[in-house]
Amino acid sequence: MTSRVILISPAITAALREARFDDGCPLDDSGLRQARAAAGTLPAADRAWVSPTVRCRETADALGIDAVDAAELAGLDAGRWRGATLAEVSEQEPEALARWLSDPGAAPHGGESVRALCGRVATWLETAARAPGRCVAVVEPEIVRAAVVQALGAPESAFWRTDVPPLAAVELSGRSGRWNVRLGRPLGATD
């Protein structure tokens, strides 16, 4: 039984533009326009999920995807760094930031480690693999990163080496324990 999982990153927000840890901000006007322009470009899906964040919900709605909130697809809990820019954290807690970026098991911000996130996403992928057909999930960029790391069997340290642009789709196909990754073009792009 082959399953297909299309992961879509949210459209652009002020937090993404400012390299700020998500603080629940909505899509900006540009992101909303781009998501609406991409509506109708996805193949039909049997199931649809969304990360329980404002930007993912607004992206799904703008794309015309009737998705169910999935708590297990929540973004990485950045603890006390939530709402801060990467530059601010780098200035205030340089050692903690360096440890977090180099050690997948570290969570100096008091939130979730990359290792814990990758484990959570791996569990979700196993569940998604049990259902045949195609599913679509509008998820935070770090969920896409964790899914790619898991699908490729890459070390957790590869998490930070995977860039996920706004409003991009990554397709995983296969079954639990064996996934193929198809890196696609941005939604709405034409050949």
Side-chain angles (χ1 to χ4, degrees):
M1 171 175 61
T2 298
S3 296
R4 296 191 186 287
V5 178
I6 300 174
L7 303 171
I8 302 165
S9 60
I12 195 78
T13 66
L16 289 173
R17 286 187 198 283
E18 298 165 3
R20 183 168 22 103
F21 290 93
D22 182 45
D23 59 357
C25 72
L27 297 181
D28 64 18
D29 291 339
S30 171
L32 192 55
R33 269 192 314 277
Q34 290 172 346
R36 286 180 179 152
T41 62
L42 291 167
D46 301 301
R47 293 162 309 288
W49 293 286
V50 63
S51 288
T53 60
V54 172
R55 64 186 181 186
C56 287
R57 170 53 60 198
E58 288 183 352
T59 299
D61 291 345
L63 289 170
I65 299 171
D66 184 22
V68 175
D69 281 2
E72 62 270 28
L73 295 177
L76 179 87
D77 177 1
R80 71 177 173 277
W81 294 350
R82 181 179 163 94
T85 65
L86 196 54
E88 291 167 342
V89 173
S90 180
E91 182 179 307
Q92 296 166 5
E93 299 183 58
E95 296 85 13
L97 181 62
R99 190 169 66 253
W100 185 59
L101 293 173
S102 63
D103 178 1
H109 44 60
E112 183 177 31
S113 70
V114 167
R115 177 166 294 136
L117 175 72
C118 287
R120 177 164 50 92
V121 171
T123 299
W124 180 80
L125 281 172
E126 288 174 19
T127 301
R130 291 187 201 117
R134 178 177 286 126
C135 78
V136 172
V138 179
V139 296
E140 292 296 330
E142 59 269 23
I143 300 298
V144 177
R145 285 183 183 137
V148 169
V149 165
Q150 294 303 309
L152 296 176
E156 292 160 343
S157 60
F159 179 87
W160 295 116
R161 302 180 70 74
T162 306
D163 289 331
V164 181
L167 210 57
V170 171
E171 184 174 346
L172 307 178
S173 62
R175 53 193 57 84
S176 185
R178 188 194 182 290
W179 291 97
N180 294 317
V181 178
R182 181 176 184 206
L183 304 174
R185 61 180 185 245
L187 293 181
T190 58
D191 290 330

